[in-house]
Amino acid sequence: MSHQTGIKANEKLLKFFGKCRDGKTRAVKITIENEELTLSDQKEAKKDWIRDYDSCVPAMIEADTPCYVLYRLDTKSSLGGFEWLLLSWSPDTATIRHKMVYASTKATLKSEFGSAHIKEEFHATAPEEATFAGYERHKREFSAPAPLTTREEELQELRRTEVKTDIGNETRQQTLNGINFPVSQAALDAIRDAKRGAYTYLQFRLDTAQEEIHLVKAASVDAAALAQMIPKDEARYHLFLYKHTHEGDYLESFVFIYSMPGYACSVKDRMMYSSCKAPFVATIAGQGVEVAKKLEVDATDDVTEEFLRDELHPKKILHRPIFDKPPGPKNRGAKRVTRPQTTE
């Protein structure tokens, strides 16, 4: 853009650029006069840069005339010099020609002053935008995320919750991490109490708004009453201490159950519960609870004592049936014998 106008800084401005970095100058006003970048005004530093701002910058701008204002901060860059702000003042009442000339010459100004010394630049078209409050509002708007369309919000939610895999020789054995929501203190205390035997059943829910896992219920029930504890219209995590005997031995096995009542839940809930399951099981294990079996159920009627026993101790098939070789097709005629030909 600087080559379109050919406007350069005059000698006076270049000399001033060499000495204004001593820490005494606070603000510099630069205008374009006679096809040259010209020093128009300057202000000395009196207080810190925040308190000096409104006493320097608003007084330098004019209602109908564009200009540049270089404003010195109190921080220093990696080069050792002070950092500066560059304000491009281009009021709406200025002519289109003036706006275009100043916009096309800004790159030249930055180059001759030193782009490495300019920490930030912003544009103002109204007097209130050139105040310190306007500068802070600019920073907030600049740091805020851009507004998204409905489609972009859906894609963003999908990317945030999806589980990604990278297939290759080095990653083939890696496991999926999922989403690790923090667990509330009440839920952690209940898990420890269940390990000590205070409870046999715990129920947990996801708070997607706060992005936390909370305890819903803690009780002592047997396997026959377990199905009644599982909601039929909401997804939940369950930790159940199954006390039983197997082959003459008394066992106490912790079973983790993830219940999802089909399409009664939203797509977001299904995705979030599925993605948070593995990290939550790891958190339970970190509290000293050894989960013997992880189950996923849909209908609550399936959670019976027989179902738990079969999952924990699958029945062994001792006598596998031996299948006879099926007979060949009938009436296919006698077998033909081929003899290799001999060569004399």
Side-chain angles (χ1 to χ4, degrees), residues 1 26 41 71 74 93 112 122 135 152 154 171 176 186 219-220 230 234 259 274 293-294 296 300 314 316 326 335 341:
M1 295 294 290
R26 178 63 75 187
D41 193 6
Y71 188 79
D74 294 332
T93 54
E112 296 190 342
F122 64 105
Y135 166 70
E152 289 172 335
E154 292 175 353
T171 60
L176 304 179
S220 293
I230 300 176
E234 293 178 313
S259 63
S274 177
K293 190 70 177 180
K294 297 186 290 290
E296 181 174 343
T300 57
K316 299 178 182 179
K335 293 183 178 180
Q341 296 180 356

Short mmCIF file of all heavy atoms in Angstrom, two decimals, residues 1 26 41 71 74 93 112 122 135 152 154 171 176 186 219-220 230 234 259 274 293-294 296 300 314 316 326 335 341:
data_model
loop_
_atom_site.label_atom_id
_atom_site.label_comp_id
_atom_site.label_asym_id
_atom_site.label_seq_id
_atom_site.Cartn_x
_atom_site.Cartn_y
_atom_site.Cartn_z
N MET A 1 0.82 -1.20 0.00
CA MET A 1 0.00 0.00 0.00
C MET A 1 0.85 1.25 0.00
O MET A 1 0.47 2.28 -0.52
CB MET A 1 -0.91 0.00 1.24
CG MET A 1 -1.92 -1.12 1.25
SD MET A 1 -3.14 -0.99 -0.08
CE MET A 1 -4.07 0.42 0.49
N ARG A 26 5.27 11.11 25.38
CA ARG A 26 4.14 10.22 25.60
C ARG A 26 3.33 9.99 24.33
O ARG A 26 2.93 8.87 24.04
CB ARG A 26 3.23 10.79 26.69
CG ARG A 26 1.99 9.96 26.97
CD ARG A 26 2.35 8.57 27.50
NE ARG A 26 2.78 8.63 28.89
CZ ARG A 26 3.28 7.59 29.54
NH1 ARG A 26 3.46 6.43 28.90
NH2 ARG A 26 3.66 7.69 30.80
N ASP A 41 2.20 17.39 16.30
CA ASP A 41 2.09 17.73 17.73
C ASP A 41 2.76 16.63 18.53
O ASP A 41 2.95 15.50 18.05
CB ASP A 41 0.62 17.88 18.13
CG ASP A 41 0.46 18.54 19.48
OD1 ASP A 41 1.48 18.98 20.05
OD2 ASP A 41 -0.68 18.58 19.98
N TYR A 71 1.28 6.46 20.55
CA TYR A 71 1.17 6.65 22.00
C TYR A 71 2.08 5.64 22.70
O TYR A 71 1.98 4.43 22.49
CB TYR A 71 -0.27 6.45 22.45
CG TYR A 71 -0.52 6.81 23.89
CD1 TYR A 71 -0.67 8.15 24.27
CD2 TYR A 71 -0.57 5.84 24.87
CE1 TYR A 71 -0.88 8.50 25.58
CE2 TYR A 71 -0.79 6.18 26.19
CZ TYR A 71 -0.94 7.51 26.55
OH TYR A 71 -1.14 7.85 27.87
N ASP A 74 4.23 2.05 28.96
CA ASP A 74 5.30 1.99 29.94
C ASP A 74 6.03 0.65 29.92
O ASP A 74 6.99 0.45 30.67
CB ASP A 74 4.75 2.24 31.34
CG ASP A 74 4.22 3.66 31.49
OD1 ASP A 74 4.72 4.55 30.78
OD2 ASP A 74 3.29 3.87 32.31
N THR A 93 -16.67 12.11 8.87
CA THR A 93 -16.92 13.36 8.15
C THR A 93 -15.78 13.74 7.21
O THR A 93 -15.91 14.72 6.46
CB THR A 93 -17.14 14.50 9.16
OG1 THR A 93 -16.02 14.56 10.07
CG2 THR A 93 -18.42 14.27 9.96
N GLU A 112 8.86 3.27 8.77
CA GLU A 112 9.86 4.28 9.08
C GLU A 112 9.99 4.51 10.58
O GLU A 112 11.06 4.88 11.06
CB GLU A 112 9.53 5.58 8.34
CG GLU A 112 9.59 5.41 6.82
CD GLU A 112 9.50 6.73 6.09
OE1 GLU A 112 9.06 7.72 6.71
OE2 GLU A 112 9.87 6.76 4.91
N PHE A 122 -5.08 0.35 16.39
CA PHE A 122 -6.52 0.30 16.28
C PHE A 122 -7.01 1.52 15.52
O PHE A 122 -6.28 2.50 15.32
CB PHE A 122 -7.19 0.18 17.66
CG PHE A 122 -6.98 1.36 18.57
CD1 PHE A 122 -8.00 2.27 18.80
CD2 PHE A 122 -5.78 1.55 19.23
CE1 PHE A 122 -7.82 3.34 19.64
CE2 PHE A 122 -5.59 2.63 20.09
CZ PHE A 122 -6.61 3.53 20.29
N TYR A 135 -10.68 2.71 23.85
CA TYR A 135 -9.57 1.77 23.62
C TYR A 135 -9.82 0.45 24.36
O TYR A 135 -9.60 -0.63 23.80
CB TYR A 135 -8.27 2.40 24.08
CG TYR A 135 -7.13 1.44 24.21
CD1 TYR A 135 -6.53 0.85 23.09
CD2 TYR A 135 -6.64 1.09 25.47
CE1 TYR A 135 -5.49 -0.04 23.21
CE2 TYR A 135 -5.59 0.19 25.59
CZ TYR A 135 -5.02 -0.37 24.47
OH TYR A 135 -3.99 -1.26 24.60
N GLU A 152 -22.31 -23.32 12.34
CA GLU A 152 -20.97 -23.30 12.91
C GLU A 152 -20.99 -23.70 14.38
O GLU A 152 -20.06 -24.36 14.85
CB GLU A 152 -20.37 -21.90 12.75
CG GLU A 152 -20.01 -21.55 11.30
CD GLU A 152 -19.60 -20.11 11.15
OE1 GLU A 152 -20.02 -19.27 11.98
OE2 GLU A 152 -18.86 -19.79 10.20
N GLU A 154 -23.10 -25.84 15.71
CA GLU A 154 -23.26 -27.30 15.74
C GLU A 154 -21.95 -28.00 15.44
O GLU A 154 -21.60 -29.00 16.09
CB GLU A 154 -24.33 -27.71 14.73
CG GLU A 154 -25.73 -27.24 15.09
CD GLU A 154 -26.74 -27.56 14.01
OE1 GLU A 154 -26.31 -28.04 12.93
OE2 GLU A 154 -27.95 -27.35 14.22
N THR A 171 0.44 -45.47 16.74
CA THR A 171 -0.73 -45.16 17.55
C THR A 171 -1.75 -46.28 17.57
O THR A 171 -2.82 -46.12 18.12
CB THR A 171 -1.42 -43.90 16.99
OG1 THR A 171 -1.82 -44.16 15.64
CG2 THR A 171 -0.49 -42.71 17.01
N LEU A 176 -8.39 -44.33 23.78
CA LEU A 176 -9.03 -43.03 23.65
C LEU A 176 -9.20 -42.40 25.03
O LEU A 176 -9.57 -43.05 25.99
CB LEU A 176 -10.40 -43.20 22.98
CG LEU A 176 -10.37 -43.91 21.62
CD1 LEU A 176 -11.79 -44.03 21.08
CD2 LEU A 176 -9.49 -43.16 20.65
N ALA A 186 -18.40 -34.03 46.84
CA ALA A 186 -19.38 -34.95 47.42
C ALA A 186 -19.34 -36.31 46.73
O ALA A 186 -19.47 -37.35 47.39
CB ALA A 186 -20.77 -34.34 47.32
N ALA A 219 -26.95 -45.17 48.38
CA ALA A 219 -27.82 -46.06 49.15
C ALA A 219 -27.18 -47.43 49.27
O ALA A 219 -26.13 -47.71 48.69
CB ALA A 219 -29.19 -46.16 48.48
N SER A 220 -27.85 -48.26 50.06
CA SER A 220 -27.43 -49.66 50.21
C SER A 220 -28.59 -50.53 49.74
O SER A 220 -29.62 -50.64 50.43
CB SER A 220 -27.07 -49.97 51.67
OG SER A 220 -25.91 -49.25 52.05
N ILE A 230 -32.47 -47.23 38.49
CA ILE A 230 -32.00 -46.66 37.23
C ILE A 230 -33.12 -45.86 36.56
O ILE A 230 -34.19 -46.43 36.28
CB ILE A 230 -31.50 -47.77 36.29
CG1 ILE A 230 -30.35 -48.54 36.95
CG2 ILE A 230 -31.06 -47.21 34.95
CD1 ILE A 230 -29.84 -49.71 36.15
N GLU A 234 -33.47 -40.59 31.75
CA GLU A 234 -32.24 -39.80 31.84
C GLU A 234 -31.04 -40.72 31.87
O GLU A 234 -31.10 -41.83 32.43
CB GLU A 234 -32.25 -38.92 33.10
CG GLU A 234 -33.28 -37.82 33.10
CD GLU A 234 -33.26 -37.02 34.38
OE1 GLU A 234 -33.25 -37.63 35.47
OE2 GLU A 234 -33.26 -35.78 34.30
N SER A 259 -26.01 -46.19 31.99
CA SER A 259 -27.37 -46.39 31.49
C SER A 259 -27.74 -45.23 30.57
O SER A 259 -27.61 -44.07 30.93
CB SER A 259 -28.36 -46.49 32.65
OG SER A 259 -28.40 -45.28 33.38
N SER A 274 -21.06 -40.59 26.72
CA SER A 274 -20.16 -41.58 26.14
C SER A 274 -18.71 -41.14 26.21
O SER A 274 -17.81 -41.94 26.48
CB SER A 274 -20.57 -41.82 24.68
OG SER A 274 -19.69 -42.74 24.06
N LYS A 293 -16.14 -54.94 36.39
CA LYS A 293 -16.84 -55.04 35.12
C LYS A 293 -17.48 -53.70 34.78
O LYS A 293 -18.04 -53.02 35.65
CB LYS A 293 -17.94 -56.12 35.19
CG LYS A 293 -18.57 -56.48 33.86
CD LYS A 293 -17.59 -57.22 32.96
CE LYS A 293 -18.23 -57.66 31.67
NZ LYS A 293 -17.29 -58.38 30.79
N LYS A 294 -17.38 -53.31 33.52
CA LYS A 294 -18.04 -52.10 33.02
C LYS A 294 -19.15 -52.53 32.07
O LYS A 294 -18.90 -53.27 31.11
CB LYS A 294 -17.03 -51.19 32.30
CG LYS A 294 -15.93 -50.67 33.21
CD LYS A 294 -15.05 -49.68 32.51
CE LYS A 294 -14.17 -50.32 31.45
NZ LYS A 294 -13.13 -51.16 32.02
N GLU A 296 -22.90 -51.40 29.86
CA GLU A 296 -23.72 -50.37 29.26
C GLU A 296 -25.09 -50.97 28.97
O GLU A 296 -25.19 -51.98 28.28
CB GLU A 296 -23.09 -49.85 27.97
CG GLU A 296 -23.88 -48.75 27.29
CD GLU A 296 -23.16 -48.16 26.10
OE1 GLU A 296 -21.93 -48.37 25.97
OE2 GLU A 296 -23.83 -47.48 25.28
N THR A 300 -33.96 -50.95 31.67
CA THR A 300 -33.67 -51.26 33.07
C THR A 300 -34.04 -52.69 33.43
O THR A 300 -33.53 -53.24 34.40
CB THR A 300 -34.43 -50.29 33.98
OG1 THR A 300 -35.83 -50.37 33.69
CG2 THR A 300 -33.98 -48.85 33.75
N PRO A 314 -18.91 -65.53 33.07
CA PRO A 314 -19.50 -66.17 31.89
C PRO A 314 -19.47 -67.68 32.00
O PRO A 314 -18.50 -68.27 32.51
CB PRO A 314 -18.62 -65.66 30.73
CG PRO A 314 -17.94 -64.44 31.26
CD PRO A 314 -17.76 -64.67 32.73
N LYS A 316 -18.94 -71.37 31.09
CA LYS A 316 -17.98 -72.06 30.24
C LYS A 316 -18.65 -73.21 29.49
O LYS A 316 -19.44 -73.96 30.08
CB LYS A 316 -16.82 -72.60 31.08
CG LYS A 316 -16.04 -71.52 31.81
CD LYS A 316 -14.94 -72.13 32.66
CE LYS A 316 -14.18 -71.05 33.43
NZ LYS A 316 -13.11 -71.64 34.28
N PRO A 326 -20.04 -82.39 5.86
CA PRO A 326 -21.25 -82.56 5.04
C PRO A 326 -20.93 -83.43 3.82
O PRO A 326 -19.83 -83.37 3.26
CB PRO A 326 -21.60 -81.13 4.63
CG PRO A 326 -20.31 -80.38 4.74
CD PRO A 326 -19.57 -81.00 5.88
N LYS A 335 -15.11 -91.09 -9.80
CA LYS A 335 -13.96 -90.20 -9.79
C LYS A 335 -13.06 -90.49 -10.98
O LYS A 335 -12.84 -91.64 -11.34
CB LYS A 335 -13.17 -90.37 -8.49
CG LYS A 335 -13.94 -89.91 -7.25
CD LYS A 335 -13.06 -90.05 -6.01
CE LYS A 335 -13.77 -89.55 -4.77
NZ LYS A 335 -12.93 -89.68 -3.56
N GLN A 341 1.65 -87.50 -18.04
CA GLN A 341 2.19 -88.00 -19.29
C GLN A 341 3.70 -88.10 -19.17
O GLN A 341 4.36 -87.24 -18.61
CB GLN A 341 1.83 -87.06 -20.44
CG GLN A 341 0.31 -87.00 -20.69
CD GLN A 341 0.01 -86.06 -21.84
OE1 GLN A 341 0.92 -85.43 -22.37
NE2 GLN A 341 -1.26 -86.02 -22.23
#
